[in-house]
């Protein structure tokens, strides 16, 4: 690594330690390229997922499931958070060592800002450092949005998802503003830990990315667990009291309030670009504040790429990983791989049981002009799925949307035990043109959840033919 009077020259500079950026950095470093990785916080080595995202939240899902009726909620929660923090600390250290241990990679901690298209100034603890690089990757991720609702931002009881998973105090009453996937996931987690949970959502329904029949079953499961879900409601204010907050909302023209010991702002995330001085590099941003990229993830400056949440794409770690493959193909390969290649990308919300989906909903398929067949049934009625009975959770349903003429799998929604795993099999089948009959007649291990496909895909609920 070339260095002169607090100056560094590198082949590749990566801003942000997220999944996509760290994967590119490690790959190029092992090939002998001079790489500098800059992360603004020592608590974020490895990016959002292992520190404040999927790893700690899914670990809390696991710990919340293990709480027995005789376990004191606060004690169990405090111990769970401590174990989760130990896990994230372990992952953080492993991520740091994996890069810093390479002779060709330098890891810096500090705030970065562009000074020109090839140069970045980093404010480190021991003073500023200037880095010049031929190729630059922006991988700074996203952060929670706190809407400008009167009193919300100033309330001492307002927390983001990052704040909530870092506190050892279990809120007795948790109000969640926002019924998207993050809000519903946290509602499920904290209800199982013992909190009273109220979700306030402006849309007419929750789980809006699946068909109404699937959404209704998922919502009913959460309501049965004691979660209050208020849809079609607009939060109007948050007022602090001596020991709690009052959340006001309007529904059907009437004003309502709910008392809360913590108010979770779960209204989405925004790309982190504010301090990067992108204008100095000539990097354009979109109207929604994301770094503008083409299908190869190049910005308006061809030598600068943007990976992960910061480019405005789907906010999933596995999409950020695929971003790294696209960038590496640009830097090392034939340059043919692009975001247009992505087909049948699944996603899961980790309520209990999980809700996983991929492809088109029934409504979307019909709108696209397909003649469809719908296959599916409640989990409790799937005779070929004894695993649901073994683990004592037969709640949920499975639904497949099929092309009535070709038997192509257009989409699926799985609300069941192990749905987060099964959906990957469905997505793989969709990518490779495997028809529903092949999935239905395949040989699966027993007892497993996947063998439910033998039953579900033979159960035609309705058909256009």
């Amino acid at each position: 690594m070339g260095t002169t009077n607090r100056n560094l020259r590198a082949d590749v500079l990566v801003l942000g330690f997220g999944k996509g950026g760290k994967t590119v950095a490690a790959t190029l470093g092992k090939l002998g390229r001079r790489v500098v990785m800059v992360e603004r916080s020592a608590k974020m080595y490895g990016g959002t997922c292992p520190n404040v995202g999927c790893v700690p939240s899914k670990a809390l899902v696991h710990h919340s499931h293990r709480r027995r009726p005789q376990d004191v909620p606060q004690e169990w929660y405090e111990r769970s958070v401590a174990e989760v923090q130990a896990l994230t600390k372990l992952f953080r250290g492993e991520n740091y060592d994996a890069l810093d241990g390479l002779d060709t990679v330098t890891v810096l901690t500090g705030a970065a800002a562009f000074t020109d298209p090839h140069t970045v100034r980093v404010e480190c603890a021991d003073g500023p450092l200037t880095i010049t690089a031929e190729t630059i990757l922006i991988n700074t991720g996203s952060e929670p949005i706190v809407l400008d609702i009167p009193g919300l931002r100033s309330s001492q009881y307002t927390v983001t998802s990052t704040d909530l998973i870092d506190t050892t105090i279990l809120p007795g009453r948790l109000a969640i503003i926002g019924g998207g996937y993050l809000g519903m996931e946290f509602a499920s987690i904290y209800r199982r830990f013992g909190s009273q949970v109220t979700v306030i959502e402006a849309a007419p329904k929750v789980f809006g990315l699946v068909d109404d029949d699937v959404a209704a079953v998922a919502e009913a499961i959460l309501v049965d667990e004691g979660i209050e879900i208020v849809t079609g409601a607009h939060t109007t204010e948050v007022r602090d009291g001596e020991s709690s907050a009052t959340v006001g909302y309007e529904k059907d023209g009437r004003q309502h309030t709910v008392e809360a010991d913590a108010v979770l702002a779960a209204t989405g995330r925004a790309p982190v670009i504010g301090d990067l001085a992108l204008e100095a590099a000539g990097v354009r941003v979109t109207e929604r504040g994301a770094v503008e990229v083409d299908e190869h993830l190049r910005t308006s400056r061809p030598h600068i790429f943007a990976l992960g949440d910061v480019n405005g794409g789907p906010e999933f770690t596995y999409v950020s990983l695929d971003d790294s493959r696209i960038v590496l193909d640009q830097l090392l390969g034939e340059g043919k791989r692009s975001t247009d290649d992505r087909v049948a990308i699944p996603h899961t919300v980790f309520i209990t049981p999980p809700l996983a989906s991929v492809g088109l909903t029934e409504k979307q398929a019909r709108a696209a002009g397909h003649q469809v067949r719908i296959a599916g049934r409640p989990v409790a009625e799937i005779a070929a799925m004894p695993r649901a009975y073994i683990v004592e959770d037969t709640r949920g349903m499975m639904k497949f949307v099929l092309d009535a003429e070709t038997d192509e799998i257009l989409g699926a929604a799985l609300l069941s035990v192990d749905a987060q795993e099964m959906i990957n099999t469905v997505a793989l089948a969709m990518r490779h043109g495997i028809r529903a009959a092949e999935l239905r007649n395949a040989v699966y291990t027993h007892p497993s959840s996947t063998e439910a496909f033998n039953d579900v895909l033979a159960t035609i609920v309705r058909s256009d033919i």
Side-chain angles (χ1 to χ4, degrees):
M1 190 72 60
T3 178
T4 306
N5 297 326
R6 305 294 294 172
N7 293 324
L8 285 176
R9 296 190 64 85
D11 296 318
V12 179
L13 168 61
V14 183
L15 305 179
F17 214 134
K19 183 68 173 180
K22 70 184 181 185
T23 302
V24 175
T27 301
L28 296 178
K30 291 173 184 177
L31 293 174
R33 303 289 180 90
R34 297 171 299 170
V35 180
V36 175
M37 164 66 76
V38 179
E39 171 53 53
R40 66 176 178 172
S41 171
K43 294 182 178 181
M44 291 297 289
Y45 299 140
T48 296
C49 180
N51 292 295
V52 297
C54 33
V55 169
S57 63
K58 276 55 178 182
L60 287 176
V61 171
H62 171 70
H63 285 286
S64 69
H65 286 180
R66 295 176 59 208
R67 188 177 75 85
R68 302 163 301 181
Q70 64 268 34
D71 292 317
V72 178
Q74 171 56 38
E75 293 178 0
W76 185 264
Y77 179 72
E78 188 172 352
R79 186 171 70 178
S80 298
V81 170
E83 293 183 13
V84 171
Q85 288 176 343
L87 177 63
T88 58
K89 181 179 179 180
L90 173 66
F91 282 4
R92 188 159 54 246
E94 290 180 344
N95 273 282
Y96 180 86
D97 292 342
L99 279 189
D100 196 61
L102 297 172
D103 292 339
T104 54
V105 178
T106 299
V107 179
L108 301 174
T109 305
F114 283 93
T115 58
D116 67 47
H118 283 276
T119 309
V120 168
R121 177 185 171 95
V122 182
E123 298 294 338
C124 302
D126 58 349
L129 188 67
T130 299
I131 306 166
T132 302
E134 297 175 9
T135 301
I136 299 176
L137 276 57
I138 302 172
N139 186 220
T140 48
S142 62
E143 59 189 0
I145 296 171
V146 179
L147 296 180
D148 190 18
I149 295 170
L152 180 62
R153 293 177 179 173
S154 60
S155 172
Q156 63 178 312
Y157 301 101
T158 296
V159 293
T160 65
S161 58
T162 301
D163 302 323
L164 190 56
I165 62 177
D166 196 41
T167 180
T168 57
I169 304 300
L170 178 68
R173 299 165 298 178
L174 175 64
I176 301 176
I177 300 175
Y181 276 21
L182 185 147
M184 302 314 295
E185 189 171 292
F186 274 77
S188 179
I189 292 170
Y190 280 85
R191 180 60 193 140
R192 282 185 165 259
F193 271 123
S195 300
Q196 296 179 18
V197 179
T198 302
V199 178
I200 303 170
E201 167 58 34
K205 72 169 187 174
V206 289
F207 304 113
L209 296 182
V210 295
D211 283 314
D212 289 349
D213 51 354
V214 180
V217 175
E219 181 177 351
I221 288 173
L222 296 184
V223 171
D224 286 345
E225 290 192 344
I227 298 170
E228 182 181 5
I229 301 173
V230 185
T231 56
H234 297 271
T235 305
T236 55
E237 66 171 346
V238 176
R239 297 193 314 272
D240 282 7
E242 291 185 5
S243 60
S244 64
T246 300
V247 180
Y249 64 90
E250 181 183 348
K251 178 178 172 63
D252 298 329
R254 298 180 61 185
Q255 296 292 328
H256 305 265
T257 61
V258 59
E259 299 296 316
D261 302 302
V263 180
L264 173 61
T267 48
R269 298 176 66 89
V272 178
I273 62 171
D275 299 327
L276 291 177
L278 294 176
E279 64 280 0
V283 173
R284 292 195 297 266
V285 299
T286 68
E287 292 182 357
R288 301 186 65 181
V291 177
E292 182 183 290
V293 293
D294 64 14
E295 70 275 16
H296 301 295
L297 303 180
R298 292 184 186 269
T299 70
S300 48
R301 291 287 188 176
H303 69 284
I304 301 177
F305 296 82
L307 301 80
D309 294 0
V310 77
N311 67 28
E315 295 177 349
F316 301 120
T317 296
Y318 45 92
V319 171
S320 184
L321 175 61
D322 195 59
D323 282 356
S324 74
R325 298 175 183 136
I326 293 172
V327 172
L328 285 169
D329 187 46
Q330 289 289 304
L331 299 178
L332 302 174
E334 297 180 352
K336 296 180 179 179
R337 188 166 189 145
S338 77
T339 55
D340 294 335
D341 299 328
R342 292 175 181 156
V343 177
I345 303 300
H347 47 81
T348 302
V349 54
F350 284 81
I351 57 174
T352 304
L355 171 59
S357 58
V358 65
L360 301 178
T361 64
E362 177 181 356
K363 184 177 181 180
Q364 290 169 338
R366 294 187 187 281
H370 292 278
Q371 288 188 307
V372 303
R373 286 188 301 142
I374 304 301
R377 60 173 39 181
V379 171
E381 297 178 9
I382 303 175
M385 191 181 174
R387 174 162 166 74
Y389 288 89
I390 292 170
V391 300
E392 300 179 318
D393 194 348
T394 59
R395 297 174 298 173
M397 66 177 290
M398 296 187 186
K399 178 178 181 178
F400 282 81
V401 182
L402 313 175
D403 187 289
E405 297 178 340
T406 66
D407 201 36
E408 177 186 1
I409 303 169
L410 301 175
L414 310 179
L415 174 61
S416 72
V417 169
D418 300 328
Q420 79 280 7
E421 300 291 348
M422 290 188 290
I423 202 68
N424 293 320
T425 298
V426 178
L428 185 65
M430 291 172 65
R431 288 185 210 118
H432 293 277
I434 296 173
R435 296 304 193 243
E438 296 177 72
L439 205 62
R440 180 185 68 233
N441 296 324
V443 179
Y444 303 104
T445 58
H446 175 83
S448 68
S449 293
T450 315
E451 63 182 328
F453 296 159
N454 296 145
D455 188 319
V456 173
L457 287 167
T459 308
I460 303 302
V461 178
R462 52 188 175 274
S463 176
D464 289 348
I465 294 180

